[in-house]
Amino acid sequence: MGSNETFTENEEAPTYAPWIPVPNVQELVREDPLQVPQRYVRELEDRPTVTDMPHLSSLVPVIDLSLLLLGNKEELNKLDLACQDWGFFHVVNHGVAKELLQKMKDAAAEFFELPLEEKNKYAMPSNDIQGYGHAYVVSEEQILDWSDALILVVHPSHYRKLKFWPNSPIGLQEIIEEYSNAIRKVATELFQSLSLIMGMDKEDLLGLHKQLMQGYRVNYYPPCSKPDHVLGISPHSDSSTITILMQDDDVCGLQLKHYNEWVPVNPIPDALVVNVGDIIEMWSNGKYKSIEHRAVANDNKARVSYATFLYPHDEAEIEPLNHMMDPKTKQQIYKKVKYGDYLRNSMKKLEGKEHTEMAKVETLA
């Protein structure tokens, strides 16, 4: 691809955000299932309410990838509306084998059941987010999320820091590799359809990345005796192009913000959940929105989620695409940013959508 620059094998793997070490949540629960330390307790207005909205959950769009691949106009139109109205959608008929999805879930569950000292062999260093731990902790006052995570850079392969790739249980590294390759294929196919609805040729969106980067985050949410006092993950939008998530089939936890209401994204067996990231919002000049979402805790069951982030190379420059601006006003909502700068800025634990707001062009009052 002409526009897709190649970066050399000896290019140094980037580091991401420094963070402050905090307790392991799974271990806290193991020691005393009833304790919820003050550092995890949310302000009243930020706590999840028990009145979730199951009727809205069924409205989250479902996109059939096999139809998109055939160029089905109706399905492309559904994708366009899903990205405008929800910023989230389920993907079915995505081609990833059911057995592989299950293999990934089983191996990850086994990893999180290992003793803490075993998992800590892969602990995150204080200057980066790869490894096992609790990322994005930037101050002692910060209210903490009720979760632990394993975070890895998967692609390009020369960015991998294999000392953080668990080799216990046996075969986990290979399963992560196999799963990540399958999800990358789904992402590439989705990019082709996103290119089309954004008024470009099929391969253009991929070319804009300079190189398609891929990160993987497995989140472990232990049960919590006071689930209405904590959040598994704070409200945020993703600084990716898109994120592809696999959920547990039987435990709900993901919620998205839709017209100021928190809507649960109930799992559909074997479907993947895709959300629009900040970068699509910026390239589309705000037509497609990256939506705030969060995870809530459960009082009697642990939950695991598997998020794959697809994002541009650090050197890619992101700004609204000319043809996506209003032809009359030509008003550019976002300024030009270098992706690496934007990404690191978003890791400073800004609330909700603050990082996209900061990338907006300042308008004169």
Side-chain angles (χ1 to χ4, degrees), residues 91-310:
V91 173
V92 295
N93 295 328
H94 45 64
V96 183
K98 192 174 178 163
E99 296 72 30
L100 177 56
L101 300 178
Q102 194 55 50
K103 210 159 60 166
M104 184 70 257
K105 289 176 180 177
D106 293 345
E110 226 178 300
F111 170 75
F112 283 104
E113 286 314 311
L114 292 172
L116 183 60
E117 58 272 22
E118 187 61 35
K119 288 181 291 206
N120 275 343
K121 289 178 182 172
Y122 313 102
M124 278 176 204
S126 61
N127 67 338
D128 201 1
I129 57 163
Q130 290 204 60
Y132 171 72
H134 197 107
Y136 309 136
V137 183
V138 294
S139 80
E140 296 293 351
E141 293 75 50
Q142 184 180 323
I143 297 175
L144 299 176
D145 291 340
W146 194 260
S147 57
D148 303 308
L150 174 68
I151 303 177
L152 304 169
V153 174
V154 173
H155 197 89
S157 52
H158 59 275
Y159 278 4
R160 293 179 186 180
K161 296 183 177 173
L162 290 174
K163 62 184 176 194
F164 300 120
W165 286 56
N167 51 22
S168 179
I170 290 164
L172 178 57
Q173 290 186 359
E174 291 73 18
I175 293 168
I176 291 172
E177 168 96 22
E178 191 186 348
Y179 174 77
S180 295
N181 286 342
I183 295 296
R184 189 177 182 80
K185 183 172 183 285
V186 172
T188 307
E189 291 167 350
L190 280 171
F191 279 157
Q192 293 179 335
S193 295
L194 288 165
S195 268
L196 294 176
I197 66 171
M198 290 170 77
M200 299 185 286
D201 291 337
K202 260 186 175 179
E203 302 302 328
D204 286 358
L205 192 55
L206 204 51
L208 289 171
H209 285 75
K210 287 189 181 276
Q211 184 172 37
L212 181 60
M213 310 289 290
Q214 185 172 346
Y216 186 45
R217 175 173 176 155
V218 186
N219 298 303
Y220 182 91
Y221 305 97
C224 181
S225 62
K226 295 178 182 167
D228 55 342
H229 282 53
V230 305
L231 284 175
I233 285 188
S234 315
H236 65 286
S237 67
D238 291 344
S239 49
S240 56
T241 305
I242 62 171
T243 301
I244 300 181
L245 182 82
M246 174 168 70
Q247 302 199 75
D248 277 343
D249 285 342
D250 55 345
V251 194
C252 289
L254 174 63
Q255 297 184 341
L256 65 87
K257 204 172 200 178
H258 187 64
Y259 296 113
N260 274 335
E261 297 284 358
W262 287 104
V263 178
V265 184
N266 293 337
I268 295 176
D270 305 322
L272 297 166
V273 176
V274 178
N275 61 281
V276 170
D278 299 343
I279 302 310
I280 291 273
E281 177 167 334
M282 290 154 86
W283 273 330
S284 71
N285 204 34
K287 179 181 180 181
Y288 304 124
K289 304 270 189 301
S290 62
I291 297 297
E292 266 187 81
H293 50 287
R294 67 183 187 183
V296 296
N298 188 292
D299 60 354
N300 58 11
K301 250 186 157 173
R303 173 175 173 264
V304 186
S305 69
Y306 312 78
T308 298
F309 303 96
L310 291 306

